[in-house]
Every structure is written in C-alpha cells, then in structure tokens.
C-alpha cells in the first residue's frame, strides 16, 4: 500500500518509474541512490508492507544536520516532477516466504499509478554465466511485449544485448533441450518480469553480471547505461563527478575500526 507523505496524493500518470531489485551486490539500489541524490528528488511517500524486513534509519541523502535527523523506512518513493521520473528505493531484504505477495503488491501499485513504463535495475551472479554470456559486455536487458511496441527502435539504437535463455540442463546440446530465463542472484527480477508480461505492463529490466564486493563501479556503469536511454543527465561521461554520491555511502562498509581497540 502506497502512503503519501503530502497533503494530497501525488499523481504518477505518465511518469517513468525506476526501481531496484534486491540482488547480488545491491547494484540496483546503489544506482538508485545516485539518481535520487543527483536529481535532488523529493520524497513523496512510502510503501507500507509486511513483506520487507522492518527497519528504519537516518536520511541517507542528508546534506545538513537537520536533514540527517529525518527517519526513513525500507521502501520509499521519490519524484523529480519536471522530468516525470519517480523512483522506488528498497532498502531491506524481502522476506523469502512473501516474495510472491510483494511482487503482486508492486504490480497492483504500478497499474493503479498509471506509470508510462517501469525500469527495474538488477544484477546477476557473474560466475554463473554460460559460454555465450561470457563473450560480450556484462550488461543485459529484458523488455515486456507491451513496452517493446513503443521502445523497439530506441533499444535497437542503444545496441544493448537481450538476456539470453539458457539450457535447463547445461552441457546438453540436443536441439529439443528446453531454454529458460535464468537470473541467479537476481531476487524478484525474473518473477516481476514474468508477472508484468502476464499483466501486459510496460516494464524493462536492466541488469549487470557482477560479484559481491565493492560494487560502486558497477552502480556507475548501470546508471550510465540507464542515462543513455532516459537522458536523466546530459553527457555524464564527460565529467566523472556528474553523479552526486550520497553522504550515506561513507558508511557502506561500516564506520571504521574503533580507536579504543588499540
């Protein structure tokens, strides 16, 4: 359930929604952090659900002491009205037994909000790629038939590679071997894409093959590819500092070793 933090509920009609999947390396979430911070997006509400591990914390995008004291929740919605962009940031893992319920909640909200399209930023385990997936860049995309109708030319111009279907039984070369969509480490990515196809929702998935570790470079790679499509910033590659790093990133790996240990 979406709960507005404003006096009147915001309209998302014809907005583009960008959201992460909680996946390997948290690449999608880090990329969304960059978008919210750089575009100085406004928080307009949050998703209330029992499908996410409950948590709260200080404002991850604080620019002053007063901002830092704001409390933030696991699933919040931000907008940049002038760009007609909305972002759903998910900061907590999905409770495993409630994954399907959470996908259904998202699909219902997306339909009710009348977003023009939804882009899911995700990632997948690099070590589980098959031979054909090793022969090109680590970026892949998926698009539902509903969005393909209006975005086919743009996607073709970008030159991205569609996520391959792989054999259900690796190593077998029989022509009759079943091919399937396989996104290991991708969380709800596959399920949300499949649900969106069934519901005729205009949705795209943009993902990187990566490994756990310092995934900040992966986040920059993913958000730059997204920008090539949505044009959130003009020519970000010309200046590496065009994307604004949020203050919370200084604590990505903890707050350092306590001096008292020594």
């Amino acid at each position: 359930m979406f709960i507005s933090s404003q006096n009147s509920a915001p309209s998302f009609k014809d907005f583009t929604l960008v959201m992460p999947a909680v996946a390997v390396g948290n690449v999608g979430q880090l990329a969304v952090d960059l978008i919210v911070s750089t575009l100085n997006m406004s928080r307009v509400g949050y998703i209330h659900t029992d499908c996410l591990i409950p948590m709260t914390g200080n404002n991850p995008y604080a620019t002053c002491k007063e901002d830092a004291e704001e409390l933030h929740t696991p699933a919040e919605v931000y907008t940049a009205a002038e760009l007609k962009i909305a972002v759903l940031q998910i900061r907590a893992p999905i409770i495993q037994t409630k994954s399907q319920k959470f996908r259904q909640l998202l699909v219902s909200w997306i339909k009710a909000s009348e977003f023009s399209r939804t882009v899911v930023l995700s990632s997948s385990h690099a070590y589980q790629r098959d031979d054909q997936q090793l022969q090109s860049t680590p970026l892949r995309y998926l698009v539902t038939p509903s969005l393909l109708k209006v975005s086919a030319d743009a996607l073709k111009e970008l030159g991205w590679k569609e996520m391959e279907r792989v054999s259900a039984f690796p190593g077998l070369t029989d022509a009759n071997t079943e091919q399937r969509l396989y996104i290991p480490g991708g969380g709800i990515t596959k399920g949300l894409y499949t649900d969106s196809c069934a519901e005729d929702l205009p949705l795209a998935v943009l993902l990187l093959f990566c490994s756990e570790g310092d995934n900040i470079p992966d986040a920059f790679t993913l958000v730059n590819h997204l920008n090539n499509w949505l044009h959130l910033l003009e020519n970000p590659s010309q200046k590496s500092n065009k994307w604004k790093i949020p203050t919370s990133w200084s604590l990505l790996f903890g707050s350092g070793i306590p001096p008292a240990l020594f």
Side-chain angles (χ1 to χ4, degrees):
M1 178 190 300
F2 173 75
I3 299 177
S4 174
S5 60
Q6 302 176 334
N7 294 330
S8 58
S11 171
F12 298 120
K13 186 175 174 60
D14 297 328
F15 273 53
T16 294
L17 173 66
V18 179
M19 60 166 286
V22 182
V24 55
N26 298 322
V27 177
Q29 292 154 298
L30 293 171
V32 166
D33 268 351
L34 289 170
I35 296 170
V36 174
S37 184
T38 303
L39 299 182
N40 195 26
M41 300 181 82
S42 303
R43 181 172 57 161
V44 295
Y46 62 95
I47 302 291
H48 178 68
T49 175
D50 63 354
C51 299
L52 299 173
I53 293 176
M55 56 154 282
T56 189
N58 296 94
N59 183 1
Y61 311 116
T63 55
C64 62
K65 186 177 180 181
E66 290 74 17
D67 289 345
E69 293 172 354
E70 294 177 357
L71 287 180
H72 286 244
T73 57
E76 295 187 315
V77 180
Y78 298 80
T79 62
E82 66 282 1
L83 295 174
K84 287 215 163 189
I85 295 287
V87 157
L88 168 63
Q89 176 62 298
I90 302 172
R91 300 189 178 93
I94 301 166
I95 296 172
Q96 193 168 5
T97 56
K98 296 184 177 182
S99 175
Q100 183 177 358
K101 179 182 176 182
F102 186 60
R103 297 199 320 265
Q104 292 171 345
L105 181 152
L106 287 175
V107 169
S108 297
W109 177 61
I110 290 169
K111 290 179 72 173
S113 300
E114 298 184 271
F115 289 108
S116 63
R117 58 188 170 185
T118 299
V119 183
V120 179
L121 302 179
S122 186
S123 49
S124 183
H125 283 300
Y127 72 87
Q128 290 194 254
R129 286 177 291 177
D130 70 358
D131 290 348
Q132 60 177 335
Q133 292 171 334
L134 286 166
Q135 295 173 3
S136 58
T137 69
L139 180 78
R140 292 293 185 278
Y141 80 93
L142 289 165
V143 62
T144 62
S146 177
L147 184 57
L148 185 61
K149 292 175 185 176
V150 296
S151 300
D153 291 341
L155 291 170
K156 184 177 180 180
E157 186 176 330
L158 288 164
W160 293 342
K161 193 171 181 64
E162 188 173 4
M163 186 69 173
E164 300 90 346
R165 269 62 176 177
V166 298
S167 173
F169 303 100
L172 295 181
T173 56
D174 187 346
N176 295 322
T177 300
E178 177 189 357
Q179 299 289 303
R180 61 172 178 163
L181 183 61
Y182 185 48
I183 308 177
I188 65 169
T189 304
K190 178 182 174 182
L192 188 57
Y193 169 74
T194 304
D195 294 345
S196 298
C197 288
E199 295 288 336
D200 200 31
L201 282 179
L203 177 141
V205 174
L206 200 58
L207 68 84
L208 278 184
F209 292 115
C210 69
S211 302
E212 291 282 8
D214 182 354
N215 295 100
I216 289 176
D218 297 315
F220 277 103
T221 298
L222 189 58
V223 79
N224 279 326
H225 280 299
L226 178 69
N227 188 67
N228 289 339
W229 182 21
L230 301 187
H231 305 293
L232 305 175
L233 296 178
E234 291 301 321
N235 302 319
S237 59
Q238 291 181 3
K239 288 186 179 180
S240 59
N241 61 351
K242 276 262 186 157
W243 294 107
K244 181 182 175 184
I245 295 175
T247 52
S248 56
W249 279 23
S250 63
L251 302 174
L252 279 180
F253 302 102
S255 54
I257 300 171
L261 282 177
F262 306 98

